[in-house]
């Protein structure tokens, strides 16, 4: 279980200080699938970064099974993320000198995962795996980034706008694969999206507004990626 307790995160100081998170309290259960919605600048990415241990909160705690990772030293935090967390970034952050396949293999190696090939195929990139990121479209790069995160077999998968660059058909295919894999492997999934329709596939929906949680809603009957609007 992940618990955020009274989490604040600010950037900069003085005149240029931005309070991106202003007292966030939330719990995510093991195996749960949570979607985070909210306007641009409302703090969605910051919430994801702080929850996953990519960034440290200015104050407050981020507890994993009762242990406060915000108190970890840098090396401890790196080891923690390496063992537990998969991350799909809003800007992909692929390694430019490696092919799509090698990028995915980087993730797989971290988990000693030998059969990452099926993940590449499942995101529809079998025929693009020898290409370098610069030779791929935005949507293809996004799928490499998703495959890389999955290849790591994370305990918790964090996704920042995972379908933002994908057309409807590819977006549904990738989302469907993510949800099925989550059920099969039992990992926890926390996804930020601008697409309100996607919220209907989640177990719970968090709505951010100006650095605070405006609403948390449970969804008793999550829909499949093919049952929602787009
Ligand atoms: N590294 C940073 N340095 C300074 N300010 C930042 C930084 N990261 C985020 N912010 C600010 O914090 C606020 C929240 O940003 P955040 O990226 O979390 O928003 P978001 O909800 O993810 O927006 P979007 O939908 O556009 O991705 C914004 O005002 C943003 O300008
Ligand atoms: Mg963002």
């Amino acid at each position: 279980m992940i618990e955020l307790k009274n989490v604040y995160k600010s950037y900069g100081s003085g005149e240029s200080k931005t309070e991106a998170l202003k007292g966030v309290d939330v719990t995510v259960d093991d195996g749960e699938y949570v979607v985070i919605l909210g306007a641009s600048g409302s703090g969605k990415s910051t919430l994801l970064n702080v929850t996953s241990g990519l960034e440290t909160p200015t104050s407050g705690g981020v507890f994993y099974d009762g242990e406060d990772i915000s108190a970890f030293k840098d090396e401890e935090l790196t080891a923690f993320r390496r063992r537990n967390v998969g991350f799909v970034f809003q800007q992909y952050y692929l390694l430019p000198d490696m092919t799509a396949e090698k990028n995915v293999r980087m993730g797989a190696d971290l988990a000693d995962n030998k059969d990452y090939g099926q993940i590449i195929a499942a995101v529809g990139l079998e025929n693009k795996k020898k290409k370098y990121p610069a030779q791929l479209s935005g949507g293809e790069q996004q799928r490499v980034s998703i495959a890389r995160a999955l290849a790591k077999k994370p305990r918790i998968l964090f996704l920042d706008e995972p379908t933002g660059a994908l057309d409807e058909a590819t977006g549904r295919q990738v989302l469907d694969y993510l949800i099925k894999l989550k059920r099969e492997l039992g990992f926890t999934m926390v996804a930020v999206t601008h697409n309100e329709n996607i919220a209907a596939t989640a177990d719970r929906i968090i709505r951010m507004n100006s650095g605070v949680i405006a609403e948390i809603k449970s969804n008793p009957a999550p829909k499949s990626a093919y049952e929602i609007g787009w």
Side-chain angles (χ1 to χ4, degrees):
M1 186 171 76
I2 311 169
E3 289 169 283
L4 271 66
K5 291 186 184 166
N6 205 22
V7 166
Y8 285 76
K9 177 70 183 178
S10 52
Y11 296 104
S13 59
E15 293 270 293
S16 65
K17 184 168 167 180
T18 306
E19 290 204 298
L21 297 177
K22 297 184 278 200
V24 170
D25 286 286
V26 67
T27 306
V28 179
D29 288 325
D30 291 342
E32 197 179 15
Y33 165 27
V34 175
V35 157
I36 302 169
L37 298 172
S40 182
S42 60
K44 303 182 298 296
S45 294
T46 308
L47 179 59
L48 216 57
N49 292 346
V50 165
T51 307
S52 63
L54 274 174
E55 290 187 78
T56 307
T58 308
S59 68
V62 179
F63 298 86
Y64 276 75
D65 300 328
E67 191 172 22
D68 188 2
I69 67 161
S70 65
F72 281 5
K73 296 195 199 74
D74 280 353
E75 316 85 79
E76 290 175 312
L77 208 49
T78 306
F80 165 83
R81 284 199 307 264
R82 197 183 165 121
R83 273 198 313 274
N84 298 295
V85 173
F87 211 106
V88 176
F89 295 95
Q90 201 165 4
Q91 304 86 351
Y92 324 136
Y93 294 131
L94 300 176
L95 295 164
D97 299 334
M98 290 190 184
T99 61
E101 187 175 32
K102 284 256 172 66
N103 266 279
V104 177
R105 202 180 129 184
M106 285 280 296
D109 284 349
L110 289 171
D112 216 9
N113 178 9
K114 301 277 186 278
D115 49 50
Y116 57 91
Q118 64 191 52
I119 300 172
I120 297 177
V123 298
L125 288 177
E126 188 55 33
N127 60 345
K128 300 279 165 122
K129 65 185 184 189
K130 302 292 179 202
K131 305 261 188 218
Y132 289 86
Q135 301 170 311
L136 298 171
S137 72
E140 287 163 353
Q141 291 179 56
Q142 186 153 44
R143 284 180 280 158
V144 176
S145 147
I146 290 170
R148 176 179 62 182
L150 286 172
K152 203 181 154 190
K153 293 190 173 165
R155 216 172 63 132
I156 310 112
L157 181 63
F158 293 95
L159 309 113
D160 202 346
E161 296 282 358
T163 58
L166 305 182
D167 60 69
E168 179 175 338
T170 314
R172 285 186 196 274
Q173 180 199 330
V174 168
L175 184 61
D176 184 60
Y177 178 61
L178 283 168
I179 293 169
K180 285 192 174 137
L181 203 61
K182 184 203 89 75
R183 284 217 192 98
E184 187 188 318
L185 302 178
F187 56 81
T188 307
M189 191 154 95
V190 183
V192 165
T193 181
H194 268 108
N195 185 342
E196 296 260 344
N197 292 308
I198 287 180
T201 64
D203 299 317
R204 216 143 48 98
I205 301 123
I206 296 174
R207 196 175 290 276
M208 294 295 294
N209 184 14
S210 305
V212 297
I213 293 181
E215 184 187 32
I216 301 186
K217 214 167 69 186
S218 288
N219 181 12
K223 292 186 168 154
S224 91
Y226 294 104
E227 291 167 329
I228 56 172
W230 198 267

